[in-house]
Amino acid sequence: MHDARELVGYGLDPPRVQWPGDARIAVSVVVNFEEGAEQTPLYGDPAVDSMRERFAVAPGYRDLRTESFFEYGSRAGFWRLLDVLDELDVQASFFISGHAVEENPRAAAEITARGHEPCGHGYRWAPLYVLPVDEERRQLLLAVEAIRKATGQRPLGWNSRGQSLQTRRLLIEEGGFVYDSDSYSEDLPYFVAADGVKWLTLPYSFETNDMKFFRPPGHGTPEDFLAQLVAAFDCLYEEGRTHPKMMSIGLHMRYSGSPAGASAVRDFIRYARAFPNVWFARRIDIARWWLDHYAYLPAMRS
Amino acid sequence: MVWPEGARLAVSIAIDFEEGAERNLLEGDPSSEAGDPESVSEGAVGELDVRSLQAESIWEYGPRAGAWRLLRILEAHQVPATFFCAGQALERNPPLADHIVRQGHEVAGRGYRLRPYYPLSEAEERADIARAVAIIREMTGKAPVGWRSRAPSERTRRLLIEAGSFTYDSDFAGDDLPVREEGLSRSFVKIPYTVETSDAGYWAMAGTPGFTRPSDFGDVLVRTFDRLYAESLTGPRFMSVGLRLRISGRPSRAGQLVRFVRHARGASRVWFARRDAIADWWLDQTPASAG
């Protein structure tokens, strides 16, 4: 696995997908639930998370300001985003770091109670590619168990922070996953040949993702993020006249859970809802639809 | 002088097709590439000695999905473009290479691997150029006449001229117009490639504000076009538009190419041209100085 790259993909001839209700686009809203699982010396990590979310202190010290910034996501942002999703009747997929829901079981239970999908996103919120395979396997199992315990459902999908060469193999070996989202290379789900298995991946996106508020060049204002989402939606909706596609929107509770951030998300959903034939779907629903209707498609190399 | 058919402004759409040729441990390189904002982000490995499947996947989007979106736009608006193609990227996507040629675009060179030339020895650089030329000839039936390095060395231009097939390179940003190289054994012109009017603002200049939304790029293109068009009342002007498959081929950004082309098509006496045609015209219209 991963010893040859796939650079052709669907190419000139992507399948003409028929989504439920003849939708011209499938829109997957993803909410990352990782706050509380980030790196901090409190958990024995050498330094606060290196992604420089807000502030910075010298390595080895706890950074209470950054911790607090993360905590906002789990404490306040989560509930605001849930309200927006409820108001507009959108079911989302939550990419969950196991330890984050261990720290906030009440929020975790609400994810499934309101019909959203829990997916795996590591146990700790940290890159996987640095882990020895046994440790990665151990953390994968910990994540599955933590999510099952906190939400009442085991994750059927997975997205890594920095997948390793072994991640997909470990997901298959674990046995209970239906798909992963460790791809960024297509506008549609596709199968990969992995360890003799025809494995389903649903591409995710860093293009339409609120993390761009924190990485230059990125978004300066919520209007920028909204403009980015609208531009991507318009393009894919137009292409959906003949070739319906899938759009992934990546949200983080500590960014898009803010009042300004959530209001831009709400504006986008209302914008998209105003068009006919738009299918807001959880990733597991898209995965099952794909397995039911497109299982005949060949597997790609990656 | 004027451009062909009395045009005042020549516009070149230049698209890099380089994904699959970037630095990767899989190829025996000392590190894997993650130099792209959407990969510099979460989980991308950068310069560590570990492959970043995430970064690879983000690059792969270019030839797998983004290229076809851009090609459909060019086809719908009947715009010929120049594709600067890394040899290894072409080798790995013959259907895309065929389609670029069939649609009437120019295939120009961008190295065999996507790597800077300045650290290479002369022999290594010459060999990389030769391999790129051979693959383009093999896959398109014609040797490239144009070239854009990832980062040239002091001798790149000389090696291109020695290679024999080239009439221009775009390793040049020093003027608004093409510039004929003087004192050479053969005719050769430098055609500008302008970073400001490329999609680099979405990604390449980490630490600078860059584009914060897709229309920022379109704004730069439209403003550049309008200013050059006004200036072209007094003499010919040239505009370079630089795109990358994995960047401008994304759904949120492709619309800016549509916006720009529609805007430019609304003006008369605008010549959308491949760079090889621009080079030929320039060399024909600006004779080499005597002696």
Side-chain angles (χ1 to χ4, degrees):
Chain A
M1 203 172 1
H2 301 305
D3 51 358
R5 297 177 64 188
E6 175 68 55
L7 286 142
V8 176
Y10 285 133
L12 177 60
D13 295 308
R16 282 180 176 248
V17 175
Q18 190 168 25
W19 295 125
D22 286 327
R24 281 169 60 167
I25 186 171
V27 183
S28 157
V29 176
V30 170
V31 181
N32 288 269
F33 194 133
E34 55 209 11
E35 293 88 344
E38 77 275 13
Q39 293 161 78
T40 160
L42 179 64
Y43 301 148
D45 300 314
V48 71
D49 194 278
S50 61
M51 295 184 69
R52 298 185 298 278
E53 301 274 344
R54 276 295 190 187
F55 311 109
V57 298
Y61 291 94
R62 281 180 68 187
D63 179 349
L64 296 181
R65 288 187 301 176
T66 294
E67 287 184 23
S68 184
F69 170 68
F70 272 89
E71 287 158 13
Y72 182 89
S74 186
R75 292 165 63 157
F78 170 79
W79 300 99
R80 181 173 289 115
L81 283 175
L82 272 197
D83 286 348
V84 169
L85 295 172
D86 271 357
E87 177 198 344
L88 300 172
D89 193 25
V90 169
Q91 291 188 320
S93 299
F94 278 70
F95 286 177
I96 298 173
S97 298
H99 190 60
V101 284
E102 284 177 345
E103 293 283 336
N104 193 345
R106 188 159 157 260
E110 206 68 20
I111 293 171
T112 42
R114 300 206 199 182
H116 304 297
E117 174 197 7
C119 306
H121 191 42
Y123 178 67
R124 298 293 310 285
W125 185 57
L128 299 179
Y129 57 78
V130 296
L131 302 178
V133 62
D134 288 343
E135 178 59 15
E136 185 178 353
R137 181 185 291 111
R138 190 184 76 84
Q139 293 198 15
L140 173 66
L141 299 177
L142 276 176
V144 171
E145 192 46 39
I147 293 166
R148 186 203 324 258
K149 192 166 168 222
T151 70
Q153 292 176 19
R154 67 148 293 146
L156 302 174
W158 178 272
N159 168 264
S160 305
R161 175 170 171 188
Q163 70 265 37
S164 75
L165 295 173
Q166 290 81 39
T167 303
R168 193 164 273 155
R169 174 177 300 136
L170 295 175
L171 293 173
I172 294 168
E173 173 191 296
E174 195 271 343
F177 285 96
V178 174
Y179 72 95
D180 71 45
S181 287
D182 281 342
S183 167
Y184 302 80
S185 49
E186 295 279 356
D187 295 313
L188 282 172
Y190 64 94
F191 292 104
V192 288
D195 272 0
V197 175
K198 195 168 164 181
W199 181 253
L200 179 62
T201 184
L202 272 62
Y204 184 49
S205 171
F206 292 154
E207 172 200 20
T208 42
N209 193 307
D210 64 8
M211 67 196 218
K212 292 169 78 74
F213 283 122
F214 284 84
R215 296 193 205 355
H219 301 317
T221 68
E223 270 65 29
D224 289 337
F225 184 42
L226 175 61
Q228 186 94 12
L229 297 179
V230 165
F233 177 87
D234 286 350
C235 175
L236 295 172
Y237 189 76
E238 177 59 29
E239 292 176 7
R241 269 181 205 283
T242 57
H243 288 82
K245 302 271 175 61
M246 172 182 172
M247 175 177 177
S248 292
I249 298 167
L251 307 177
H252 296 74
M253 310 189 302
R254 61 194 178 281
Y255 310 152
S256 286
S258 76
S263 104
V265 171
R266 182 175 181 276
D267 284 353
F268 170 73
I269 296 173
R270 285 165 56 90
Y271 174 83
R273 277 271 192 241
F275 291 81
N277 303 97
V278 175
W279 183 39
F280 275 92
R282 305 181 310 172
R283 297 175 93 74
I284 186 62
D285 302 322
I286 296 170
R288 294 221 188 277
W289 185 267
W290 201 265
L291 290 166
D292 286 347
H293 295 83
Y294 301 102
Y296 63 87
L297 289 170
M300 303 183 195
R301 286 189 290 198
S302 69
Chain B
M1 70 166 268
V2 290
W3 296 111
E5 294 169 27
R8 288 160 46 178
L9 176 55
V11 179
S12 156
I13 309 281
I15 302 178
D16 295 334
F17 173 13
E18 58 200 8
E19 295 89 349
E22 75 274 21
R23 205 169 57 251
N24 191 323
L25 291 161
L26 191 60
E27 307 295 333
D29 298 322
S31 61
S32 273
E33 178 132 18
D36 170 321
E38 259 128 38
S39 57
V40 178
S41 50
E42 299 199 343
V45 178
E47 298 302 317
L48 297 182
D49 56 352
V50 186
R51 276 174 70 194
S52 169
L53 296 181
Q54 198 168 68
E56 288 181 22
S57 183
I58 287 165
W59 281 66
E60 286 158 11
Y61 183 90
R64 289 171 67 157
W68 303 98
R69 180 171 287 123
L70 295 177
L71 282 167
R72 281 194 303 274
I73 292 168
L74 296 173
E75 188 174 22
H77 294 87
Q78 292 294 297
V79 171
T82 294
F83 282 74
F84 288 111
C85 303
Q88 193 177 42
L90 278 177
E91 276 181 328
R92 290 175 166 182
N93 202 329
L96 180 53
D98 287 350
H99 202 82
I100 289 169
V101 173
R102 260 207 315 276
Q103 215 173 287
H105 304 297
E106 175 190 2
V107 173
R110 187 150 170 75
Y112 175 67
R113 301 294 309 286
L114 179 67
R115 58 176 171 177
Y117 274 170
Y118 56 81
L120 301 187
S121 73
E122 180 165 339
E124 286 171 326
E125 184 176 350
R126 184 182 286 113
D128 197 82
I129 292 171
R131 195 165 178 194
V133 169
I135 282 163
I136 291 174
R137 184 186 283 121
E138 183 187 319
M139 294 190 64
T140 70
K142 185 173 175 298
V145 304
W147 184 271
R148 167 170 137 78
S149 307
R150 179 163 202 184
S153 75
E154 290 177 65
R155 56 184 165 246
T156 302
R157 188 161 292 131
R158 172 169 61 78
L159 295 177
L160 291 174
I161 290 162
E162 284 175 20
S165 66
F166 292 98
T167 60
Y168 79 92
D169 73 47
S170 288
D171 290 338
F172 175 68
D175 215 321
D176 282 328
L177 286 171
V179 175
R180 178 190 269 273
E181 278 286 90
E182 300 287 354
L184 297 175
S185 54
R186 53 174 295 157
S187 297
F188 194 89
V189 61
K190 299 180 288 193
I191 301 182
Y193 183 93
T194 314
V195 173
E196 184 194 19
T197 49
S198 81
D199 59 11
Y202 287 124
W203 66 290
M205 297 175 281
T208 65
F211 301 146
T212 65
R213 61 169 80 180
S215 59
D216 287 349
F217 181 39
D219 291 346
V220 173
L221 296 182
V222 166
R223 189 173 285 279
T224 300
F225 178 90
D226 289 350
R227 173 70 200 188
L228 288 173
Y229 194 71
E231 290 178 6
S232 70
L233 283 171
T234 59
R237 286 293 183 273
F238 168 79
M239 178 170 175
S240 165
V241 176
L243 310 175
R244 287 156 187 84
L245 304 179
R246 67 189 179 282
I247 303 294
S248 283
R250 303 270 343 177
S252 66
R253 302 181 184 128
Q256 297 307 314
L257 174 60
V258 177
R259 172 186 168 199
F260 169 72
V261 170
R262 282 193 181 136
H263 180 79
R265 284 274 194 235
S268 61
R269 301 172 70 189
V270 174
W271 183 41
F272 275 98
R274 296 166 26 153
R275 287 182 180 231
D276 54 355
I278 292 169
D280 285 349
W281 183 264
W282 196 265
L283 289 170
D284 187 58
Q285 299 289 312
T286 59
S289 48

